Amino acid sequence: MTTELGLPSLRGGPSRDPARPGDPRLIDGFGRVATDLRISLTDRCNLRCTYCMPAEGLDWMPREEQLTDDELNRLIAIAVHELGIEELRFTGGEPMLRKGLENVLSAASALQPRPDISLTTNGIGLARRAEALAAAGVDRLNVSMDTLRPERFAEITRRDRLQDVTDGMAAAHAAGMRPVKINAVLLRGVNDDEAADLLAFALEHGYQLRFIEQMPLDAQHGWRRSEMITAEEILDRLEQRFVLTPSDEDRGGAPAEKFLVNGGPDVVGVIASVTRPFCGSCDRTRLTADGQVRTCLFATGETDLRAMLRGGASDTEIADVWRDAMWGKKAGHGIDDPGFLQPARPMSAIGG
């Protein structure tokens, strides 16, 4: 079932590796266990962030290739009941563009044991939907916001919608989806002077800020490591105004390295996927909007579960193929390897 992108998938897949233990969970060959499922609901987005996609957008996934609600709900149930998934994060593209989103969320929150449910969004339209999302089972939100300046927001996203984003975060906080986390990417020469301002804003409103190193996942394949703002640079900018102390909280498989701000209890996170990779503790598996399992954000191969769904496979057969896919997960993303190849799919089509 695992194929290189662009090649047709084959029914049946590789035979099970006899070295794989009988553990029913999503264990890989390095002893890591995936308990966090990242689910992309759509590749569509209503922003056009310069570091993600071109101004004209992309060729969106045809509707018939996208998983139906019933197919998606079935795969989520298999993940929770058969594979030990404990956390669900719904992403995109922009997940709020998925019709019937609240129905999918409600079905997930009704599962037993109930998984932890979160949503990553750009915040457009969040203000009017926050209460409905909370009622559907969303425990907390991550909202992407790279600047506090309206003109810069319009430059980065090609849309003048900053007020919509800040209104959406306030509505989510009021609806009880806490902590509201802000995801920010600093771009050299664009918004890299706002690190401390963004943290001050988060502290003032009771949000939690996480800076993310820019990763090689843009549709244009224009990422250059030399142009990326590193974690070290981010921390240097923050320490010009705040005192940061590494948190002694067990990080587990969390992507963010946390720092206490001015002695705590407030924290700021830095996700240094490029310069401080955390692959050794990765606990994630990914499902794209068209039903492909990805073992890593930077994987070049996928495993087609949609074909199994539509071909009449049983839950047991699907679970077995998913387990086999995860058993073959690589040790790391390999960005520093000389032969590293950026994934063919951009971030909007993989899911954050």
Side-chain angles (χ1 to χ4, degrees):
M1 294 298 296
T2 302
T3 62
E4 292 301 305
L5 298 184
L7 297 178
S9 58
L10 301 176
R11 182 68 190 272
S15 58
R16 177 176 173 177
D17 185 341
R20 187 192 182 283
D23 194 321
R25 299 173 300 168
L26 292 173
I27 189 170
D28 68 31
F30 300 92
R32 298 166 297 190
V33 178
T35 57
D36 182 337
L37 173 59
R38 306 294 172 100
I39 304 162
S40 176
L41 295 175
T42 178
D43 61 336
R44 297 170 186 261
C45 190
N46 42 13
L47 297 182
R48 297 290 182 270
C49 295
T50 56
Y51 56 84
C52 186
M53 66 177 69
E56 65 274 14
L58 301 169
D59 292 330
W60 307 123
M61 182 185 300
R63 296 292 187 188
E64 63 273 14
E65 293 183 9
Q66 183 174 285
L67 292 176
T68 66
D69 287 358
D70 287 344
E71 290 171 336
L72 182 58
N73 291 340
R74 184 180 169 197
L75 289 180
I76 293 172
I78 291 171
V80 172
H81 292 152
E82 305 292 335
L83 302 173
I85 289 296
E86 300 171 356
E87 301 177 46
L88 304 174
R89 177 177 296 281
F90 293 91
T91 71
E94 172 45 53
M96 288 197 294
L97 295 180
R98 169 89 181 210
K99 292 183 178 180
L101 170 62
E102 286 82 359
N103 294 331
V104 172
L105 294 169
S106 294
S109 66
L111 293 172
Q112 294 296 328
R114 185 194 186 280
D116 180 86
I117 297 175
S118 57
L119 185 77
T120 297
T121 173
N122 62 29
I124 306 300
L126 177 58
R128 67 177 181 272
R129 295 179 67 178
E131 291 187 3
L133 292 172
V138 176
D139 298 307
R140 63 189 184 282
L141 285 168
N142 286 30
V143 181
S144 300
M145 187 182 74
D146 303 321
T147 177
L148 297 169
R149 304 182 188 182
E151 69 281 1
R152 281 188 178 174
F153 188 91
E155 176 186 355
I156 294 171
T157 69
R158 302 186 177 101
R159 302 288 188 272
D160 185 13
R161 304 294 296 273
L162 178 59
Q163 190 64 51
D164 293 305
V165 177
T166 55
D167 288 348
M169 288 191 291
H173 185 81
M177 291 181 284
R178 302 179 185 180
V180 172
K181 296 182 180 179
I182 301 173
N183 290 345
V185 176
L186 295 184
L187 306 171
R188 195 173 301 281
V190 178
N191 66 337
D192 53 329
D193 58 341
E194 288 192 74
D197 290 341
L198 284 163
L199 180 52
F201 172 85
L203 296 177
E204 177 185 354
H205 291 87
Y207 306 148
Q208 192 176 116
L209 177 63
R210 308 192 314 171
F211 289 99
I212 304 175
E213 287 183 338
Q214 186 185 358
M215 294 178 282
L217 291 167
D218 58 308
Q220 306 93 309
H221 286 213
W223 179 87
R224 297 292 181 271
R225 184 173 184 136
S226 60
E227 298 174 7
M228 178 193 72
I229 303 293
T230 66
E232 183 176 358
E233 291 177 276
I234 293 168
L235 294 172
D236 285 345
R237 285 161 167 76
L238 293 176
E239 288 175 335
Q240 293 174 14
R241 194 184 306 180
F242 302 95
V243 176
L244 303 183
T245 308
S247 172
D248 59 5
E249 178 185 337
D250 183 13
R251 182 175 173 181
E257 185 179 357
K258 292 183 179 180
F259 298 85
L260 299 176
V261 181
N262 295 335
D266 295 311
V267 298
V268 63
V270 178
I271 300 177
S273 301
V274 179
T275 64
R276 302 180 183 181
F278 40 88
C279 302
S281 59
C282 182
D283 63 355
R284 287 170 293 287
T285 182
R286 298 175 181 275
L287 183 66
T288 65
D290 55 350
Q292 311 299 306
V293 165
R294 296 179 64 87
T295 60
C296 173
L297 191 59
F298 298 95
T300 55
E302 298 179 337
T303 300
D304 189 355
L305 300 187
R306 184 190 63 193
M308 297 190 71
L309 288 168
R310 297 180 181 180
S314 68
D315 289 0
T316 298
E317 290 172 326
I318 291 171
D320 283 342
V321 167
W322 203 333
R323 291 186 189 102
D324 289 342
M326 292 304 295
W327 178 246
K329 181 173 181 172
K330 295 182 179 179
H333 54 48
I335 290 177
D336 287 330
D337 296 342
F340 173 76
L341 295 175
Q342 182 172 335
R345 289 198 198 230
M347 175 66 92
S348 62
I350 296 173

